[in-house]
Amino acid sequence: MASGYKFLTLLTRGQTTDNPEHAQITQYLRQRNEESALSRSRAPPPPIRRHNPPLLTKISPPDAPPEYAPTVRPLPKAAFIGERKVPKVANTSEGQVFLRIKKPQPRVLSRAVSRRSNLFQKDVWALLDIEEENMGSANEEDRWESLMNKQLAAEGFQDKVTRDGTLESYRWSELLSKSWVESQLDRRWSDWVARGKAVSELIEQEKALAKKEARISRPLPDNPRATKAARETLDKILGEARQKEAARQEEAQPKPFQDPFMAPLWVERVRELERRQMSRGEYRKDGKRPAEDFESKFPLDAFAALKAARK
């Protein structure tokens, strides 16, 4: 308590600029600031975090099927010390192929694999919802509208549910949704297949080099000169790869926004779907939907017809 009262007395008297306590406090604060500035100036600069180049680089044109090639692997023997370790091929339950290069598996790789798997599963669940739920509901909606038109005509009303030509039914909307999700799955799967092919070729190259290097004498791991030379070689290879990646990104011009539903591939897919539906007889050439036999499709209408026949 005595020390506390002394501090209170010091701070109280230090509020007046003429008192010696004020000079003591300001001198102490200046000294602390100088020591802190000196300590910060001696601190080492933060290390520059350099990201490694990607394992695979896409080499195909934008509108061509995907094709990948290894970026820096397989590494030459001069870029590492010891025995060459061939990466292990792994794949997810969805069919996504990736490489396990070291243990433990990096978190960045785990997040990337998980993110792609989640996107694939999301599309699969969306496709199942369309096929198992939405398509049946769309058929019932179309049947209900046709039933209403039939009932209105039977009662002498001129009103009817309007249609919009070929794109007239709820079923057609669900068919378009299904085709869109399928196209996304096809695009993602084609990309995975291309990546898997590049990974397979890389593994074969790694195995061939490992078999060839098994007959060559290796320097000792504790050789500082060999370790330094290998590190310099690896840094040079990675530096060149980073420069190429930066140059490629600079050359890539930003593309303006393009509506994915106006893309030529999607437009052609929709046209093919229209031709397929019309060839099955679902639509006539004039774009009108043919009359349906609801006695075999709609139970309520069949029950009404049976009730009328008994009267």
Side-chain angles (χ1 to χ4, degrees):
M1 292 182 64
S3 299
Y5 283 117
K6 288 182 180 180
F7 273 108
L8 288 176
T9 303
L10 176 65
L11 296 175
T12 302
R13 294 181 178 179
Q15 296 178 0
T16 305
T17 57
D18 298 336
N19 292 338
E21 288 80 0
H22 179 79
Q24 294 178 5
I25 294 174
T26 54
Q27 182 181 1
Y28 174 76
L29 293 177
R30 290 194 187 99
Q31 184 179 358
R32 286 294 304 271
N33 290 337
E34 292 176 358
E35 293 177 355
S36 299
L38 181 61
S39 177
R40 287 192 295 268
S41 64
R42 293 177 179 177
I48 300 176
R49 187 176 182 181
R50 296 179 298 180
H51 296 280
N52 290 331
L55 177 67
L56 302 176
T57 301
K58 192 173 184 179
I59 59 176
S60 58
D63 298 332
E67 185 178 357
Y68 291 88
T71 305
V72 296
R73 287 182 175 270
L75 294 173
K77 185 66 179 69
F80 59 92
I81 297 296
E83 183 180 358
R84 180 183 295 272
K85 296 181 180 180
V86 180
K88 302 296 182 181
V89 181
N91 62 281
T92 62
S93 58
E94 294 84 10
Q96 180 184 179
V97 180
F98 61 97
L99 284 183
R100 285 198 173 105
I101 300 177
K102 62 180 181 179
K103 294 182 180 180
Q105 181 172 298
R107 294 183 179 180
V108 176
L109 176 60
S110 299
R111 287 196 297 267
V113 172
S114 178
R115 182 175 65 253
R116 291 173 181 170
S117 297
N118 291 338
L119 292 175
F120 186 84
Q121 293 176 5
K122 183 179 179 181
D123 289 340
V124 171
W125 283 113
L127 184 62
L128 290 177
D129 289 341
I130 293 174
E131 291 181 346
E132 297 179 357
E133 297 183 8
N134 298 356
M135 195 67 73
S137 300
N139 291 335
E140 294 300 325
E141 289 290 340
D142 291 334
R143 293 171 185 173
W144 177 258
E145 288 189 356
S146 298
L147 178 63
M148 290 297 100
N149 288 336
K150 183 179 179 181
Q151 187 68 23
L152 289 172
E155 295 182 5
F157 291 96
Q158 300 297 326
D159 299 335
K160 61 184 303 184
V161 180
T162 58
R163 299 282 188 175
D164 297 327
T166 305
L167 307 179
E168 63 180 0
S169 63
Y170 292 96
R171 176 180 173 81
W172 174 253
S173 299
E174 293 301 329
L175 286 175
L176 288 179
S177 300
K178 178 183 176 182
S179 181
W180 172 257
V181 176
E182 288 176 344
S183 67
Q184 298 304 304
L185 286 173
D186 292 342
R187 179 183 60 83
R188 200 179 306 279
W189 184 255
S190 299
D191 186 80
W192 286 5
V193 170
R195 289 176 180 271
K197 182 179 179 181
V199 166
S200 177
E201 294 176 355
L202 174 60
I203 292 299
E204 294 299 326
Q205 296 175 9
E206 292 277 1
K207 289 181 179 180
L209 289 176
K211 184 178 180 180
K212 181 179 179 181
E213 294 168 358
R215 300 187 296 267
I216 303 176
S217 60
R218 301 186 300 271
L220 297 177
D222 55 352
N223 188 346
R225 183 177 299 178
T227 302
K228 182 180 179 181
R231 185 62 187 177
E232 292 176 353
T233 304
L234 180 60
D235 290 341
K236 181 180 179 181
I237 294 174
L238 295 179
E240 293 176 354
R242 294 189 187 98
Q243 292 178 0
K244 291 181 181 179
E245 181 68 17
R248 187 179 64 85
Q249 293 181 359
E250 290 180 358
E251 293 176 358
Q253 299 179 357
K255 297 182 179 180
F257 173 76
Q258 296 180 353
D259 189 352
F261 297 103
M262 297 301 296
L265 292 178
W266 172 247
V267 173
E268 181 61 27
R269 191 183 184 104
V270 173
R271 290 175 179 173
E272 178 62 25
L273 186 61
E274 289 181 0
R275 289 192 292 266
R276 194 184 310 164
Q277 293 299 318
M278 294 178 66
S279 64
R280 291 179 180 177
E282 187 169 349
Y283 299 102
R284 293 205 301 258
K285 292 183 178 181
D286 56 0
K288 296 182 179 180
R289 193 182 186 90
E292 296 180 283
D293 182 14
F294 284 97
E295 294 185 2
S296 60
K297 292 186 177 182
F298 205 79
L300 292 179
D301 197 43
F303 178 77
L306 180 62
K307 184 178 179 181
R310 289 183 177 180
K311 290 183 179 180

